[in-house]
Amino acid sequence: MSRWFRSEPMEYVSLIVNDDAAHDCLADLGKLSVIQFTDLNPDLTPFQRRYVGYVRRCDELERKLRFFSHECDKFELTIDSVANVDEFLATPVTSKQDSGAQLLESLEVELEGYESQLRELNSYSEKLTTEYNEKVELQEVLEKARRFFMTDAPRLAVSELTTGGQQSRRGEGRNESLIEPEGNSDMDMRFSSITGVVASDERVRFERMIFRATRGNCFVRFAEIKQPITDPRSGELVEKSVFIVFYKSLAIESKLKKICDAFSAHRYSLPDMDDAPAVDRMLTENAQELVDSRTVLLKNQDTRYRLCQMLAKHIEKWTWTVLREKTIYHTLNMFKADVSGMLRGEGWIISESVGRVREAVNKAHANMDMAMPSLVEQVPKPWPTPPTHFHVNKFTSGYQEFVNTYGIPRYREANPALFTAGTFPFLFGVMYGDIGHGLFLFCAGLFLLINEKANDAAKLSEMADGLHNGRYMLAMMGFFAVYAGFVYNDMFSLGLNLFGTRWEFEGQEYGEVEEMTEATPIYEYGSDESVYPFGLDPSWHVAVNELLFFNSFKMKISVVFGIIQMFMGTCLKGLNDIYFGEKLNFFFEFIPMMAFAISLFVYMVFLIFYKWSVDWNSRMLSATCLDPDGDGWGSADYKEGDWTVCDQSGDGTCTPWGYSCTGYDDTATKCPLNFGGSGDGCQPPNLITTLINIALQPGNVDEPLYEGQAELQNLLLTVAFLSVPVLLLAKPYFASQQGGSDGHHGDDDDDEHGEEHGFGEILIHQAIETIEFVLGMISNTASYLRLWALSLAHSELATVFWEKAMLTTINMGWFSTFIGYGVFAGTTFGVLLMMDVLECFLHALRLQWVEFQNKFFKADGIRFAPYSFKNVITDHSHK
C-alpha cells in the first residue's frame, strides 16, 4: 500500500537509436509499457512528419479490415477472438530477415487480394440479386394480372351492368371496357394498362398521387406479394405490391410513367391477357430463368460466406497487428533526426524500469547487427512536469479511476484513492445501513466477482462495463451496509434479537404490554451483562422514543465520522508539505489549520465521547434529595462515593453525599462536583448549546461536563481566533520577504514592481484559502449530517413499506397477503434497492470529493500515458 500512497518516481531520459533499428526498438518498448514519449516536433503538422506515409498505409489497412468486419456482420458471423493480448504481444514482430516495412507490405498485398475478391463477389451479387428480383417481380405481375382478368374483371363487369347502367350512359363510370359485355356496340373500346411493382409502404402515397395527377380518370388495383424481396444494395427485405393501372389517354400514360419513376416503381410489359397460351409460355420461361438465377445467386452467396468465414478467423489478429504498427510509426513521428541515420526521442520512464528500457534498446540493435551504439541516458534538469502513475491491481484500479474522475493527483502527492478504498464504502454503509438490503447489494457484488473472467473476455455495454470495473467496490459497499445494519440492528426495518434483549416490559411474556409502559433493565446498570454484545438493543425498535434515540445516535456518529475524516485530510496536507519541503506551507498553513480544527472541531468530538462515558445516573442521583429511611436510599446506582446521612436540619431529606435539603435548593447547590454553571456538572448538557456558547458566550458554561471547562474553552477559542490571522498574513509576509531578498541582484525598479505584485497576488490567494478553510470546516461538518439524514430516510421508508404493504394485509387472508407482499417487494426493489443505492452512492461521492479531498488534494496532475501496445489494443476492443 505504500506504493499506492505516492506515485511512482519518474526520470526524464533521452533515447538515441539507429534509424534502421528504430522500428524494432519501439516494438520491444511497446511491450514494456513504462515510457511516455514527448513530441520533439511540435512545429510540424501531421503531414510534414517523417513516417506519415506509413501511418496512412496503416489507416488504409484499418479501412479494409473494417470492410471485412462489416461483411462478416452481414452473415452474422462472430469474429474469432485472439486468445490473449499478452500472448499476441509475446510473438516477435518481425524476423531478422524482415523489416517493419516488409511486414506492412506483405499485409497490404494479402488484404488487397481479399478485398478485391470480396468486392468483385459483392458487385456480382448485387447484379444477380437485381436480375433475380426482376424475374420474381415479373412472375408475380404475370400471376396477379392473369388472376385479375380471369376473376375480378368479369365480376366487376356483371356488377356494373346490374347497378350502374344509367351512370354508364351518363359518362360517369370509369371502368367501361372492363364491365361492358362483348355484344354491346358501345363497349368495343379497350383501355390501356400499366403493370409493375411498388414498395408496400409507398402504396397509399402512390395511389393518391395517381388519383390527383389523372383527376380520377384511372382504375388502380393492388395485390400484395407474400414473399419479401431483398434489396440488392442494402440487403434488407422489402415488402412490395403488384399494381395495375387502366387508363385511356396518351397524356395520362406519360404522367403515369413519371409517377412510377418518382416512386422507383418497376414497370413490366405484359402480353395480351386474352392470349392465354402466350401468357402461359411467358410464365413457364420466366419460372425456368428464375430457378437458374436463384442457383447462381446461392452459389455466389455461398462463396462469399466461405470467404467471410475464413476472414473472420484472422480479422482480430490482423487488426491488432495494424494497431501495433500504427502505434510504432505514430511514436516514431515524435522522434527528431538530429544526425543522419540516427533518431532521438525523449520521454518519461518509471525509475525502476530504466534498466529494462536500456536492455531492450541494446537487444534490438544487437539483433540488427548494428555497429553504432544506442544511448539511454537521463536528461539533466530542469524537467517538464512529471506525469503521475500508480501501480494498481483489480481491486485498486476501480478506486483509482474513482479519484481520477475528479482530478489526477500531482506528481508524488498523497493519493486520496488509498483512503477512498476504505472510507467511501464505509460512509455508504453508514447511510444505507440495513442487513437485508445490504445483503442484496453484497450478493450482486459477489455475482460480478464470480463471473469476473467471463466478463473480462466479453464485450460489455457501457453500463455493464462500469459495473464490472466497480465489482469490488460494489461488494464492499454491500459488506459495510450489512455491517452498519448490524450496528443499527435493522433488517427490513425490523430489529433482530440475536443476543437477547437487555430490557423487558411489564406483561411482555403474555403479550399484554400497555402503551407508554416503561422498560426496565434486566441486569444492573453499568455491568457487563447490561450491554448488548454488538449493535443496538432490539428493544429500541419498539420503544415510543425510538425516533428520538436513533436521531441522537446517528447525528452524533455522523459528526464524529465527518470531523475525523476532515482532520485526516488536513493531516495529509501536512505530510505533503513535509515531503515537498514546503516550510512556509507547513508552519503558516498546516499548523494554524490544525490549531483551528483541534480547538473547535476535534474538541466537539471530545465532548461527545466524554458525555457518552459519564455515568449520568450516578451524577444526577448525587444531586437528588432522598429520604434516608426510604427505599431509594443506598441504591447501587450512586458511584460518586459513599452514602452519607445528613443532619436532616432542612426538610428531612438528604443527598447521597450528605447535604441537607431544604426544598428550595437548586441543582448547583445540591451537586457535590462544583464544576460551575446552573448544573454544576450533575446535569447532562445540551452539546449544541455548549458548542454555540463557546463563541457567543465565552467563559459561560451553563451545564459543564468537567472541572475547568470554561477556562479550557476560553483557551481553545483564543487559539482558534489567533490561528486565523496567522493563516491569512504569515505566509504572504514571509514569502514576500524571501522574494525581496532574492530580487536585489536585478534592476531595482523591476524588482520593486515584481515584489509588490507578488505580495498582492499571494495575499489574495491566501485570503481565499483562509476563507475556504475556515468556512469550509463549518459547512463541511454540517454537510456530514447527510449521513444521519439518509440513514434515517432509509430506515423510515423501509418501515413505511413494511407497515403499509405487509402488516395491513397479513390479517386479511392469503390472497391479500400475496398482493401485499408483491407491493412490498416491488417498492423495496424499486425505491430502496435501486434509487436509494444511487442516492447514497452520490452523497458518499460528494463527501469523498468535496469534504475530504479539498483539504489537501490539488487534482492538477498529468496522467501517465505510457507507450503501450496493450493499452491501445484494449481501448480499441472496448469501442
Side-chain angles (χ1 to χ4, degrees):
M1 287 299 176
S2 59
R3 297 187 63 178
W4 200 26
F5 181 61
R6 297 198 184 276
S7 60
E8 294 295 320
M10 294 284 177
E11 291 187 14
Y12 194 70
V13 299
S14 176
L15 176 69
I16 300 177
V17 297
N18 190 283
D19 192 0
D20 296 330
H23 179 277
D24 288 356
C25 286
L26 290 186
D28 291 337
L29 292 177
K31 301 174 184 178
L32 299 179
S33 305
V34 295
I35 182 170
Q36 175 183 329
F37 287 103
T38 304
D39 190 1
L40 300 182
N41 306 299
D43 299 331
L44 298 180
T45 65
F47 301 102
Q48 295 174 330
R49 308 218 173 203
R50 184 171 185 174
Y51 294 92
V52 64
Y54 291 96
V55 176
R56 285 177 175 172
R57 291 166 64 183
C58 291
D59 289 337
E60 179 64 17
L61 289 174
E62 285 185 320
R63 182 196 62 77
K64 293 176 181 178
L65 290 170
R66 287 194 299 269
F67 169 68
F68 294 159
S69 179
H70 179 68
E71 292 299 315
C72 290
D73 291 339
K74 290 182 179 179
F75 291 102
E76 298 182 354
L77 290 172
T78 303
I79 306 298
D80 290 358
S81 178
V82 181
N84 192 295
V85 178
D86 295 325
E87 293 179 5
F88 169 77
L89 295 178
T91 58
V93 178
T94 60
S95 62
K96 291 185 178 181
Q97 293 79 17
D98 296 333
S99 65
Q102 290 172 334
L103 172 65
L104 210 57
E105 185 176 352
S106 63
L107 196 58
E108 284 176 331
V109 172
E110 185 177 8
L111 296 187
E112 180 66 30
Y114 289 133
E115 184 190 25
S116 60
Q117 184 179 356
L118 192 54
R119 288 193 180 278
E120 184 178 354
L121 287 172
N122 286 345
S123 176
Y124 192 40
S125 173
E126 184 176 341
K127 181 180 178 182
L128 289 173
T129 303
T130 302
E131 293 177 357
Y132 177 75
N133 288 347
E134 290 176 353
K135 296 183 185 305
V136 170
E137 291 175 356
L138 178 58
Q139 190 77 7
E140 292 288 339
V141 168
L142 286 169
E143 292 178 355
K144 305 295 184 187
R146 185 174 64 170
R147 183 179 300 114
F148 172 77
F149 280 97
M150 291 177 62
T151 60
D152 291 357
R155 177 175 56 79
L156 289 173
V158 173
S159 174
E160 183 67 19
L161 284 173
T162 57
T163 61
Q166 296 179 358
Q167 292 181 0
S168 177
R169 285 192 295 272
R170 288 195 299 267
E172 297 178 1
R174 292 185 298 168
N175 306 319
E176 296 91 337
S177 65
L178 297 177
I179 60 179
E180 292 178 357
E182 295 181 358
N184 195 327
S185 59
D186 297 334
M187 301 179 185
D188 290 340
M189 298 174 57
R190 295 180 61 86
F191 282 78
S192 301
S193 64
I194 289 181
T195 54
V197 176
V198 68
S200 295
D201 56 354
E202 296 284 352
R203 172 177 168 174
V204 176
R205 293 177 59 243
F206 181 72
E207 186 176 11
R208 185 185 302 117
M209 182 61 70
I210 290 176
F211 180 82
R212 291 177 177 176
T214 63
R215 298 183 179 180
N217 293 311
C218 286
F219 178 70
V220 186
R221 295 301 302 271
F222 291 93
E224 291 283 346
I225 299 177
K226 295 181 180 180
Q227 188 69 25
I229 296 176
T230 304
D231 188 290
R233 294 185 178 179
S234 65
E236 297 178 354
L237 295 177
V238 180
E239 298 284 347
K240 292 193 175 184
S241 299
V242 175
F243 66 87
I244 180 168
V245 183
F246 294 95
Y247 59 92
K248 185 69 176 164
S249 169
L250 292 177
I252 292 178
E253 180 181 3
S254 176
K255 291 181 180 180
L256 291 175
K257 288 181 178 180
K258 291 180 180 179
I259 293 172
C260 290
D261 293 339
F263 282 87
S264 299
H266 300 157
R267 303 191 309 272
Y268 294 95
S269 299
L270 300 182
D272 190 352
M273 290 292 108
D274 294 334
D275 188 359
V279 174
D280 292 340
R281 184 169 56 255
M282 190 173 183
L283 277 170
T284 304
E285 292 175 356
N286 187 71
Q288 183 59 42
E289 293 176 358
L290 191 61
V291 172
D292 296 340
S293 297
R294 180 174 176 79
T295 302
V296 177
L297 184 61
L298 290 177
K299 183 66 175 176
N300 173 273
Q301 185 175 356
D302 181 64
T303 305
R304 288 167 55 219
Y305 179 80
R306 285 187 280 108
L307 178 59
C308 290
Q309 200 173 31
M310 184 274 297
L311 292 174
K313 298 179 181 179
H314 301 89
I315 286 177
E316 186 165 88
K317 183 178 179 181
W318 286 335
T319 302
W320 289 5
T321 302
V322 172
L323 286 173
R324 179 179 61 191
E325 294 300 309
K326 185 178 179 180
T327 305
I328 290 174
Y329 290 114
H330 178 72
T331 306
L332 283 174
N333 280 331
M334 299 182 181
F335 281 54
K336 197 167 188 176
D338 294 327
V339 181
S340 178
M342 302 296 293
L343 292 176
R344 177 175 62 88
E346 293 181 359
W348 293 102
I349 295 183
I350 302 174
S351 297
E352 64 179 12
S353 302
V354 174
R356 295 169 60 195
V357 171
R358 187 176 287 113
E359 180 183 353
V361 172
N362 293 335
K363 181 180 177 182
H365 280 75
N367 291 339
M368 296 291 292
D369 297 327
M370 295 291 175
M372 190 172 295
S374 59
L375 184 65
V376 179
E377 286 193 354
Q378 185 175 352
V379 176
K381 293 184 179 182
W383 291 345
T385 304
T388 302
H389 174 68
F390 297 96
H391 284 297
V392 294
N393 51 37
K394 294 179 180 179
F395 176 80
T396 58
S397 60
Y399 293 103
Q400 190 61 57
E401 288 300 320
F402 191 82
V403 170
N404 291 347
T405 304
Y406 179 83
I408 307 299
R410 280 185 180 179
Y411 176 66
R412 303 294 288 169
E413 181 185 25
N415 185 16
L418 175 63
F419 308 94
T420 300
T423 57
F424 173 77
F426 177 76
L427 293 179
F428 173 88
V430 172
M431 289 184 281
Y432 195 72
D434 187 284
I435 300 171
H437 302 148
L439 198 58
F440 275 102
L441 198 60
F442 182 65
C443 290
L446 287 182
F447 176 78
L448 293 174
L449 292 176
I450 293 172
N451 294 278
E452 179 179 314
K453 292 185 178 179
N455 291 334
D456 281 335
K459 291 185 178 180
L460 304 174
S461 63
E462 184 177 358
M463 181 176 292
D465 186 61
L467 290 174
H468 173 64
N469 292 333
R471 57 195 181 277
Y472 289 97
M473 184 184 299
L474 194 65
M476 288 191 66
M477 287 161 56
F479 171 79
F480 280 108
V482 173
Y483 171 79
F486 276 110
V487 173
Y488 301 152
N489 200 349
D490 197 351
M491 182 172 183
F492 299 116
S493 78
L494 303 175
L496 301 179
N497 193 15
L498 298 176
F499 307 106
T501 180
R502 269 47 176 177
W503 299 85
E504 64 178 356
F505 293 91
E506 183 179 353
Q508 72 176 24
E509 298 178 357
Y510 309 102
E512 298 177 353
V513 180
E514 297 182 3
E515 191 174 354
M516 301 303 293
T517 301
E518 186 175 346
T520 57
I522 299 176
Y523 302 100
E524 181 182 352
Y525 180 82
S527 64
D528 295 340
E529 294 81 6
S530 66
V531 180
Y532 197 72
F534 186 83
L536 299 176
D537 196 292
S539 294
W540 284 111
H541 285 277
V542 296
V544 176
N545 57 342
E546 171 197 6
L547 190 60
L548 182 64
F549 171 77
F550 276 99
N551 274 345
S552 176
F553 172 73
K554 292 181 179 181
M555 181 175 64
K556 288 184 174 65
I557 64 171
S558 299
V559 172
V560 170
F561 291 151
I563 292 175
I564 289 176
Q565 189 177 31
M566 290 191 295
F567 186 74
M568 181 173 63
T570 308
C571 292
L572 290 176
K573 173 180 172 55
L575 293 178
N576 282 338
D577 293 339
I578 294 173
Y579 181 83
F580 292 113
E582 298 176 348
K583 295 182 180 180
L584 286 180
N585 288 346
F586 181 81
F587 288 107
F588 303 117
E589 278 192 353
F590 170 68
I591 297 299
M593 286 180 179
M594 291 292 289
F596 184 84
I598 293 174
S599 299
L600 297 179
F601 297 94
V602 177
Y603 178 68
M604 185 191 308
V605 176
F606 165 76
L607 290 180
I608 291 174
F609 279 100
Y610 194 91
K611 183 179 178 181
W612 280 346
S613 65
V614 171
D615 186 349
W616 291 107
N617 278 356
S618 177
R619 280 202 182 184
M620 289 190 294
L621 186 59
S622 66
T624 303
C625 296
L626 299 171
D627 185 358
D629 299 326
D631 296 335
W633 190 264
S635 172
D637 291 341
Y638 180 65
K639 299 180 178 63
E640 303 296 326
D642 297 330
W643 287 83
T644 304
V645 179
C646 64
D647 57 8
Q648 299 182 347
S649 59
D651 59 3
T653 59
C654 304
T655 61
W657 55 279
Y659 175 77
S660 181
C661 300
T662 64
Y664 302 99
D665 305 308
D666 55 13
T667 304
T669 305
K670 295 182 288 184
C671 183
L673 300 178
N674 296 321
F675 290 168
S678 62
D680 206 29
C682 291
Q683 189 171 321
N686 185 321
L687 292 184
I688 296 178
T689 303
T690 301
L691 294 169
I692 292 175
N693 287 339
I694 292 178
L696 297 184
Q697 298 180 12
N700 181 20
V701 182
D702 189 49
E703 297 171 343
L705 278 169
Y706 55 89
E707 188 174 4
Q709 182 176 350
E711 291 76 11
L712 178 59
Q713 290 182 174
N714 285 339
L715 176 62
L716 294 176
L717 183 63
T718 303
V719 171
F721 270 114
L722 291 177
S723 63
V724 174
V726 173
L727 181 61
L728 174 63
L729 301 173
K731 180 183 174 181
Y733 173 76
F734 286 103
S736 64
Q737 291 297 313
Q738 290 181 358
S741 63
D742 294 337
H744 291 303
H745 301 288
D747 185 72
D748 291 338
D749 294 334
D750 293 338
D751 287 341
E752 183 179 354
H753 177 73
E755 181 181 331
E756 228 177 78
H757 177 74
F759 176 77
E761 184 178 354
I762 296 174
L763 183 61
I764 293 174
H765 179 270
Q766 195 63 25
I768 296 173
E769 288 281 340
T770 303
I771 295 171
E772 182 180 4
F773 176 78
V774 174
L775 297 183
M777 284 296 295
I778 300 171
S779 62
N780 293 161
T781 302
S783 181
Y784 274 97
L785 292 177
R786 71 185 68 233
L787 297 174
W788 157 50
L790 267 77
S791 176
L792 178 65
H794 183 93
S795 62
E796 290 302 308
L797 280 173
T799 303
V800 169
F801 293 158
W802 171 258
E803 292 180 351
K804 300 302 181 182
M806 289 299 296
L807 292 186
T808 56
T809 60
I810 202 167
N811 294 322
M812 296 182 182
W814 66 269
F815 184 75
S816 299
T817 304
F818 179 78
I819 298 298
Y821 175 75
V823 174
F824 171 74
T827 52
T828 298
F829 178 79
V831 177
L832 296 179
L833 295 180
M834 299 296 291
M835 293 175 56
D836 202 42
V837 169
L838 180 60
E839 183 181 11
C840 293
F841 180 91
L842 294 176
H843 281 280
L845 178 65
R846 182 242 155 75
L847 292 177
Q848 199 67 35
W849 278 358
V850 179
E851 274 69 25
F852 171 60
Q853 291 182 178
N854 72 351
K855 298 296 182 292
F856 68 98
F857 189 41
K858 301 299 182 183
D860 56 357
I862 301 172
R863 187 167 190 167
F864 181 61
Y867 167 63
S868 170
F869 295 147
K870 185 173 183 179
N871 291 351
V872 172
I873 293 173
T874 303
D875 292 343
H876 180 271
S877 300
H878 287 166
K879 288 182 180 179

